[in-house]
Amino acid sequence: MRELEDKIRQDGQVLDGNVLKVDNFLNHQIDPQLMYAIGAEFKRLFADQPITKILTVESSGIAPAVMAGLMLKVPVVFARKHKSLTLKNDLYTATVYSYTKKVSNEISISQKFLSADDRVLIIDDFLANGQAVEGLIDIIDAAHAQLEGVGIVIEKTFQKGRQLLDARGIRTESLARIKAFEDGQVVFVAASDD
Ligand code: G4P
Ligand code: NA
Ligand code: NA
């Protein structure tokens, strides 16, 4: 998605450890116009699939997920990373290991928001090692719901998440695909790379 790549080139900062900082339009401050365009692009990509629900993880997945839900006209559920006062019982829970932070976290959603009738689109901000998406898939499996696909805003193709999802035969659509960081610059996957 051209508009997103331009924004990443313009405002993204490449940090040590192969991390792209995008806190002025996605991870802290949010650009609503860009999120709207991202929602429209996810709709274009997944309109042919019978999606009933979007699933993401708090916090940074919520903005793109809500815009996709707006466009596809389906509800959006975000998995929580912390147990809330009102979210205690009847949960689907999965363990997510973060290679970046070297910690395991539990994510959960209330069972009442996901059922065997649901056909689910997962949306997330980043695809790196794929652990967040795998946790969401565990939750979808526990609910006996059906996974329709995965929509990612920014994918880093050099980390193992993409391979993992491809190996499982999951349709994964990423709006920006980064193949490398070179001298502090972002190198996107080119059409000719595919
Ligand atoms: P994984 O889910 O793909 O395995 O991700 P990983 O454990 O490697 O990353 C942990 C967190 O860091 C996730 O956010 C993920 O979205 C984010 N992340 C991964 N690579 C990058 C990157 O290059 N840039 C930025 N900005 N974030 C990256 P999180 O901890 O769940 O945080 P949040 O959703 O609350 O923001
Ligand atoms: Na995230
Ligand atoms: Na994040």
Side-chain angles (χ1 to χ4, degrees):
M1 183 181 167
R2 183 58 196 272
E3 185 183 352
L4 175 62
E5 290 186 4
D6 289 347
K7 188 73 165 178
I8 292 168
R9 277 200 196 87
Q10 195 186 314
D11 290 346
Q13 282 173 267
V14 179
L15 306 184
D16 288 346
N18 281 330
V19 170
L20 177 70
K21 188 167 168 137
V22 286
D23 67 344
N24 86 334
F25 64 92
L26 180 58
N27 285 155
H28 195 11
Q29 174 170 263
I30 293 171
D31 180 333
Q33 273 77 34
L34 180 62
M35 289 308 128
Y36 191 85
I38 283 169
E41 185 65 5
F42 282 134
K43 181 189 171 166
R44 191 183 70 76
L45 290 163
F46 290 103
D48 57 331
Q49 277 167 270
I51 291 156
T52 64
K53 196 153 283 191
I54 289 173
L55 195 57
T56 188
V57 190
E58 67 174 340
S59 54
S60 299
I62 295 175
V66 167
M67 289 300 173
L70 176 71
M71 302 294 177
L72 288 164
K73 298 189 169 67
V74 295
V76 177
V77 180
F78 65 89
R80 290 182 181 260
K81 290 175 177 163
H82 307 283
K83 298 259 153 64
S84 84
L85 270 180
T86 56
L87 180 71
K88 277 189 197 148
N89 304 313
D90 305 320
L91 302 176
Y92 293 121
T93 296
T95 302
V96 174
Y97 178 72
S98 168
Y99 289 94
T100 317
K101 296 171 183 167
K102 307 233 171 353
V103 289
S104 285
N105 285 303
E106 299 258 280
I107 58 169
S108 21
I109 73 163
S110 172
Q111 293 185 358
K112 71 180 173 201
F113 294 127
L114 196 60
S115 78
D117 300 330
D118 279 314
R119 306 182 71 137
V120 182
L121 172 63
I122 291 174
I123 297 281
D124 209 358
D125 58 340
F126 273 90
L127 178 62
N129 293 300
Q131 299 306 294
V133 172
E134 292 246 295
L136 291 173
I137 294 172
D138 290 345
I139 284 175
I140 290 166
D141 289 346
H144 302 290
Q146 195 174 320
L147 176 65
E148 288 290 329
V150 176
I152 297 292
V153 180
I154 304 172
E155 172 186 336
K156 295 187 289 184
T157 62
F158 54 87
Q159 289 181 257
K160 66 176 189 210
R162 159 65 70 164
Q163 248 178 298
L164 221 109
L165 298 180
D166 283 352
R168 294 178 65 160
I170 294 163
R171 179 178 175 197
T172 304
E173 300 283 358
S174 305
L175 306 190
R177 303 186 71 204
I178 295 172
K179 71 172 173 188
F181 298 120
E182 282 171 15
D183 306 320
Q185 299 298 308
V186 177
V187 184
F188 292 102
V189 174
S192 55
D193 292 332
D194 287 328

